[in-house]
């Protein structure tokens, strides 16, 4: 039995051992800390995405310089498996499928997102084709993009499954370290590789979920441990919503004598690397325009409230079979929202609106054979067209035979014949050359700034793109005011603010860590940023203290039934270090945006989204030098020999200890 002193010594020795192990590991490995992995997603029928083995995958690094260079890792190279490093210009479906088909020689792929391709969309050619309004039972001639292939550049790469890890590098310095390691040790010269040691990479991205959503949800529910491990989670989050006149948030269902115009845009986007998407044209252009329109309407709707209410809805999860909009429709149908479908007068949705001054914005309208309200659609189009007075903008109607593009509006039409239109910058197929890819970024949206401007000066610089979207936002705000029955004398006073638009574009697409975003909220999550921005743009600043802002129901003139209360960081005044924080009273609410399939337990639903994301233990990438197999075996042999030798020596010493370490008595000193 160990006594206290022995335990203390043991702990000290163990601690020193761990420190030594950590120090050795730091000398062996170079950790790559700025990476984004491709992860596994699942739905009712299958799984897509990437993963590593449970212990990580290791391969010798090979830098791909052209597609012809694939021959080395796939067949000629003598040291498989290989970890292939390629720039984004070579990140094509053709190259990825060749590596997938030779996966025994490919340990993983690392992408350096630098140079862009002329066009690249890893999404499908017909987004959300199975969950829109056009089906075999309704307008089947328009189903599955039979008349209009919306995303002809789509190659479906994001919907492939790879049994090796695929990572994206985000840091230039780390890219250079990897390349230098490759050039020093692995560079192919005259058809043959250099001698050992070779530069290798190890990627960890093992996913817990397999097969499909039904399987992973069942496995999650069967874990009866005290600390259950979720195998996968439903995709989704929250919609951001606000009314110009708030309703009691606890009174669900139909509102008598209430008519509501819905103004909608989608929040989310995706890319092959799920968390590496900005969606500049795909989503940001639309929801920034709608945010600006909401701000432009604030003063006019307070001075002269229109007869109809207006709901601004920002839907989350729309890329994955309309999660956010289908949830709102489901809640409206089942008296779980503050209004129902009978209260909806019409819908105006803003889609992809990458524009330049004096360009047309196309108006997709739904003239529904199930509805007697087609006159309302015509009026909505007229309201839009008449709202462009004084603007360098025009709205052009598409033909009656043109179907609606992929849009949240389709989920409402699937439930009820509701008049509405969708605004987009394309007449037929998407203009967006980079739909749902990491190239759909600030550069694609032509956000350019003079080189001599500081970050804070860039924040204030009004770009041409911002001017253009401001025009669209102004026209949309005016049209919504008219559609809601507002007084025509107020219409021309409604104007969006270009400074607000340019600040939002800069924050969402260029640099989120800026003073304007920080003054609203410090969180980086898109949903919460939009929530706080919308609250700032449409709410009312109060004199409540921070403690009162957290508990406003304790005050006589405040009500959490009608409003939310958000504590806003505020700006830092000149010559000060303290922010001027304040409490905003707002009608903005976060509303659940998770597919109804998970509430219903219907994991094979054909009506609702069934997309889930696998969980994982950790994500990690690192490089190191690997010795030859012969040297590794020699080192192992020497180590084993030393071990056995030390054991024999220890045994010999222990058996002869009484002889080797016997004490010899000193003779007694003799006194004279």
């Amino acid at each position: 039995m160990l006594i206290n002193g022995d335990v203390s010594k043991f702990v000290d020795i163990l601690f020193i051992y761990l420190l030594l192990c950590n120090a050795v590991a730091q000398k062996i490995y170079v950790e790559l800390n700025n990476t984004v992995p491709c992860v596994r997603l699942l739905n009712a029928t299958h799984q897509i995405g990437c993963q590593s083995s449970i212990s990580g995958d290791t391969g010798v690094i090979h830098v791909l310089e052209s597609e012809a260079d694939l021959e080395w890792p796939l067949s000629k190279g003598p040291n498989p498996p290989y970890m292939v490093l390629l720039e984004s210009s070579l990140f094509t479906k053709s190259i990825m499928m060749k590596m997938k088909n030779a996966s025994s020689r490919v340990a993983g792929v690392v992408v350096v997102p630098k140079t862009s391709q002329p066009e690249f969309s890893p999404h499908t050619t017909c987004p959300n084709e199975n969950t829109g309004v056009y089906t075999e039972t309704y307008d089947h001639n328009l189903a599955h993009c039979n008349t209009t292939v919306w995303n002809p550049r789509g190659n479906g790469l994001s919907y492939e499954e790879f049994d090796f890890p695929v990572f994206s590098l985000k840091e230039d310095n780390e890219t250079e370290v990897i390349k230098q390691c490759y050039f020093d040790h692995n560079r192919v010269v005259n058809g043959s590789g250099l001698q050992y040691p070779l530069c290798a990479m190890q990627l960890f991205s093992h996913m817990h979920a397999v097969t499909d959503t039904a399987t992973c949800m069942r496995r999650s529910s069967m874990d009866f441990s005290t600390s259950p491990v979720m195998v996968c989670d439903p995709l989704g989050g929250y919609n951001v919503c606000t009314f110009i006149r708030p309703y009691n948030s606890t009174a669900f269902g139909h509102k008598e004598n209430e008519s509501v115009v819905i103004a909608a845009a989608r929040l989310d986007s995706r890319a092959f690397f799920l968390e590496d998407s900005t969606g500049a044209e795909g989503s940001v252009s639309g929801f920034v325009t709608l945010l600006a329109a909401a701000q432009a309407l604030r003063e006019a709707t307070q001075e002269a409230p229109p007869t109809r209410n207006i709901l601004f809805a920002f839907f989350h999860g729309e890329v994955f079979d309309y999660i956010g909009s289908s949830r709102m429709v489901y809640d409206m149908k089942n008296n779980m929202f503050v209004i129902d479908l009978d209260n909806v007068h019409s819908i105006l949705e803003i889609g992809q609106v990458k524009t330049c001054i004096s360009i047309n914005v196309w108006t997709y309208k739904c003239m529904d054979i199930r509805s007697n309200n087609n006159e309302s659609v015509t009026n909505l189009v007229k309201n839009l067209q008449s709202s462009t007075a004084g603007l360098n903008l025009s709205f052009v109607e598409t033909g009656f035979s043109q179907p609606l593009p992929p849009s949240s509006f389709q989920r409402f039409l699937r439930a009820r014949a509701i008049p509405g239109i969708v605004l987009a910058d394309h007449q037929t197929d998407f203009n967006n050359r980079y739909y749902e890819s990491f190239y759909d970024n600030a550069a694609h949206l032509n956000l350019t700034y003079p080189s001599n401007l500081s970050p804070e000066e860039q924040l204030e610089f009004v770009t041409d793109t911002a001017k253009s979207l401001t025009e669209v936002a102004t026209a949309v705000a005016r049209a919504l005011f008219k559609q809601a029955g507002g007084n025509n004398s107020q219409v021309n006073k409604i104007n969006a603010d270009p400074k607000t638009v340019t600040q939002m574009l800069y924050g969402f697409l260029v640099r989120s860590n800026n003073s304007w975003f920080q003054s609203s909220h410090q969180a980086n999550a898109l949903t919460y940023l939009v929530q706080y921005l919308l609250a700032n743009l449409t709410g009312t600043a109060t004199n409540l203290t921070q403690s009162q802002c957290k508990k406003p129901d304790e005050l006589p003139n405040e009500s959490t039934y009608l409003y939310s209360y958000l504590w806003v960081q505020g700006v830092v005044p000149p010559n000060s270090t303290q922010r001027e924080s304040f409490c905003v009273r707002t009608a903005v609410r976060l509303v659940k945006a998770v597919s109804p399939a998970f509430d219903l337990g219907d994991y094979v639903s054909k009506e609702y989204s069934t997309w889930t994301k696998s969980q994982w233990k950790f994500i990690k990438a690192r490089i190191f030098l690997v010795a030859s197999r012969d040297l590794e075996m020699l080192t192992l042999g020497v180590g084993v020999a030393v071990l056995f030798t030390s054991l024999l020596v220890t045994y010999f010493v222990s058996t002869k200890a009484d002889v080797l370490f016997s004490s010899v008595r000193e003779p007694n000193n003799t006194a004279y």
Side-chain angles (χ1 to χ4, degrees):
M1 178 179 293
L2 294 174
I3 61 175
N4 290 339
D6 294 329
V7 171
S8 178
K9 290 179 180 178
F10 176 76
V11 171
D12 289 342
I13 293 171
L14 181 61
F15 180 70
I16 293 171
Y17 173 77
L18 292 174
L19 285 178
L20 289 173
C21 289
N22 187 50
V24 171
Q26 288 178 354
K27 290 183 179 295
I28 294 175
Y29 299 105
V30 176
E31 302 290 340
L32 306 175
N33 298 315
N34 292 287
T35 60
V36 178
C38 160
V39 301
R40 173 170 288 170
L41 304 177
L42 309 95
N43 66 7
T45 58
H46 62 292
Q47 62 187 26
I48 61 174
C50 324
Q51 76 155 354
S52 73
S53 62
I54 194 168
S55 57
D57 289 331
T58 303
V60 174
I61 296 173
H62 179 76
V63 176
L64 200 69
E65 297 176 351
S66 68
E67 186 166 359
D69 195 29
L70 268 177
E71 187 179 19
W72 183 264
L74 299 190
S75 60
K76 289 179 62 177
N79 308 111
Y82 285 92
M83 196 67 70
V84 180
L85 179 76
L86 50 84
E87 290 202 358
S88 50
S89 57
L90 293 173
F91 184 57
T92 64
K93 186 171 185 180
S94 169
I95 290 176
M96 289 298 295
M97 295 307 291
K98 287 178 181 178
M99 290 191 285
K100 177 180 178 178
N101 295 331
S103 58
S104 62
R105 290 183 60 90
V106 176
V109 175
V110 178
V111 181
V112 182
K114 281 191 173 182
T115 55
S116 62
Q117 302 175 31
E119 56 183 44
F120 177 74
S121 174
H123 210 280
T124 60
T125 57
C126 190
N128 291 353
E129 65 176 301
N130 296 313
T131 48
V133 67
Y134 304 114
T135 63
E136 282 72 16
T137 57
Y138 174 75
D139 254 352
H140 63 89
N141 292 329
L142 303 179
H144 307 295
C145 298
N146 285 336
T147 59
T148 302
V149 177
W150 293 107
N151 187 34
R153 303 169 186 85
N155 58 35
L157 184 61
S158 291
Y159 291 83
E160 293 287 340
E161 181 188 1
F162 297 92
D163 58 1
F164 51 74
V166 184
F167 279 49
S168 172
L169 291 177
K170 307 303 295 179
E171 177 62 52
D172 289 341
N173 290 337
E174 291 184 345
T175 302
E176 293 307 313
V177 169
I178 297 170
K179 287 185 175 181
Q180 191 60 52
C181 187
Y182 166 79
F183 288 128
D184 289 346
H185 298 279
N186 299 8
R187 178 79 175 194
V188 178
V189 179
N190 297 325
S192 62
L194 297 178
Q195 299 299 312
Y196 284 96
L198 297 176
C199 189
M201 180 182 289
Q202 190 172 30
L203 301 178
F204 297 86
S205 63
H206 181 68
M207 300 287 136
H208 296 329
V210 294
T211 310
D212 53 36
T213 289
T215 302
C216 78
M217 294 299 290
R218 183 175 66 250
R219 287 178 60 195
S220 295
S221 65
M222 291 174 64
D223 189 342
F224 301 111
S225 64
T226 55
S227 300
V229 177
M230 292 300 295
V231 178
C232 63
D233 290 319
L235 290 181
Y238 293 95
N239 297 327
V240 182
C241 302
T242 189
F243 291 89
I244 61 170
R245 293 193 301 275
Y247 296 119
N248 186 329
S249 61
T250 62
F252 295 153
H254 185 70
K255 297 292 184 292
E256 290 294 332
N257 303 317
E258 285 290 318
S259 181
V260 179
V261 178
I262 297 179
R266 73 176 173 102
L267 284 178
D268 62 308
S269 60
R270 71 159 303 188
F272 182 86
F273 303 100
L274 192 62
E275 298 178 4
D276 195 23
S277 173
T278 52
E281 180 178 359
S283 59
V284 175
S285 65
F287 73 70
V288 162
T289 301
L290 189 57
L291 283 168
Q295 181 195 30
L297 278 172
R298 180 181 181 275
E299 186 174 340
T301 55
Q302 288 180 348
E303 289 183 2
T307 55
R308 299 186 184 95
N309 209 338
I310 300 175
L311 165 62
F312 292 96
F314 299 82
F315 294 122
H316 186 76
E318 296 302 273
V319 177
F320 295 100
D321 293 330
Y322 304 120
I323 293 173
S325 55
S326 63
R327 181 72 205 201
M328 179 173 283
V329 171
Y330 175 82
D331 288 347
M332 286 184 176
K333 289 170 63 177
N334 292 278
N335 293 325
M336 297 164 62
F337 194 67
V338 293
I339 61 172
D340 65 9
L341 290 170
D342 289 335
N343 289 124
V344 180
H345 173 268
S346 53
I347 296 175
L348 187 157
E349 180 173 352
I350 305 175
Q352 301 181 82
V353 286
K354 174 190 175 184
T355 61
C356 299
I357 299 298
S358 300
I359 199 170
N360 294 329
V361 175
W362 298 89
T363 304
Y364 292 85
K365 56 190 180 300
C366 182
M367 307 298 279
D368 200 320
I369 60 174
R370 302 170 296 174
S371 173
N372 295 320
N373 295 325
N374 288 330
E375 183 178 347
S376 297
V377 181
T378 303
N379 289 337
L380 185 49
V381 173
K382 288 180 179 178
N383 287 336
L384 267 172
Q385 292 174 334
S386 63
S387 297
T388 59
L391 304 177
N392 296 314
L393 177 74
S394 63
F395 292 103
V396 182
E397 294 182 69
T398 56
F400 290 110
S401 61
Q402 183 67 35
L404 287 170
S407 52
S408 306
F409 180 34
Q410 290 201 30
R411 287 303 302 190
F412 285 85
L413 288 174
R414 191 168 170 128
R416 183 73 58 86
I418 297 174
I421 60 176
V422 177
L423 304 182
D425 60 8
H426 51 90
Q427 183 178 8
T428 53
D429 57 86
F430 297 159
N431 288 334
N432 192 347
R433 297 177 289 125
Y434 302 126
Y435 183 72
E436 306 300 1
S437 82
F438 48 59
Y439 297 129
D440 190 8
N441 52 25
H444 175 56
L445 212 57
N446 299 321
L447 291 183
T448 56
Y449 303 88
S451 58
N452 61 335
L453 297 184
S454 67
E456 285 302 303
E457 290 171 334
Q458 290 178 353
L459 175 66
E460 304 291 331
F461 181 80
V462 180
T463 63
D464 287 342
T465 301
K467 294 175 183 177
S468 179
L469 293 183
T470 301
E471 301 256 291
V472 180
T474 297
V476 166
R478 292 174 178 177
L480 287 171
F481 190 73
K482 291 180 181 180
Q483 188 72 2
N487 190 326
N488 283 334
S489 64
Q490 297 287 323
V491 170
N492 289 334
K493 299 178 183 178
I494 299 173
N495 292 286
D497 180 18
K499 181 180 177 181
T500 300
V501 174
T502 205
Q503 289 175 325
M504 287 192 288
L505 290 174
Y506 183 81
F508 286 119
L509 297 175
V510 180
R511 188 168 177 262
S512 60
N513 186 23
N514 64 73
S515 60
W516 194 64
F517 269 23
Q518 289 173 354
S519 69
S520 296
H521 193 47
Q522 290 186 338
N524 289 324
L526 175 63
T527 300
Y528 297 108
L529 277 173
V530 171
Q531 175 197 16
Y532 272 75
L533 285 175
L534 186 59
N536 268 346
L537 297 176
T538 62
T540 302
T542 69
N543 293 322
L544 302 183
T545 65
Q546 188 170 7
S547 59
Q548 290 173 329
C549 197
K550 291 179 179 179
K551 298 179 179 180
D553 271 338
E554 296 178 356
L555 302 174
N557 297 322
E558 306 294 344
S559 172
T560 55
Y561 295 117
L562 292 177
Y563 299 103
S564 297
Y565 295 81
L566 302 177
W567 188 253
V568 175
Q569 297 291 327
V571 299
V572 179
N575 302 320
S576 175
T577 58
Q578 297 294 321
R579 293 186 178 275
E580 293 183 342
S581 303
F582 58 94
C583 183
V584 170
R585 183 194 302 117
T586 176
V588 175
R589 302 276 184 181
L590 294 181
V591 183
K592 184 178 179 181
V594 175
S595 171
F598 297 97
D599 286 1
L600 300 170
D602 185 5
Y603 305 133
V604 294
S605 173
K606 294 183 178 180
E607 175 68 17
Y608 299 111
S609 171
T610 56
W611 284 104
T612 55
K613 180 172 68 173
S614 175
Q615 290 293 302
W616 55 82
K617 189 173 183 179
F618 59 85
I619 300 293
K620 187 165 68 173
R622 59 189 184 182
I623 63 173
F624 58 97
L625 295 179
V626 60
S628 69
R629 187 71 175 171
D630 292 341
L631 181 58
E632 287 178 340
M633 296 307 296
L634 176 61
T635 304
L636 176 63
V638 171
V640 171
V642 170
L643 172 65
F644 280 105
T645 301
S646 63
L647 290 174
L648 288 172
V649 171
T650 303
Y651 175 76
F652 173 77
V653 170
S654 65
T655 56
K656 302 296 182 180
D658 56 336
V659 177
L660 295 172
F661 305 109
S662 61
S663 59
V664 179
R665 285 190 176 184
E666 294 288 338
N668 293 330
N669 292 329
T670 305
Y672 295 95

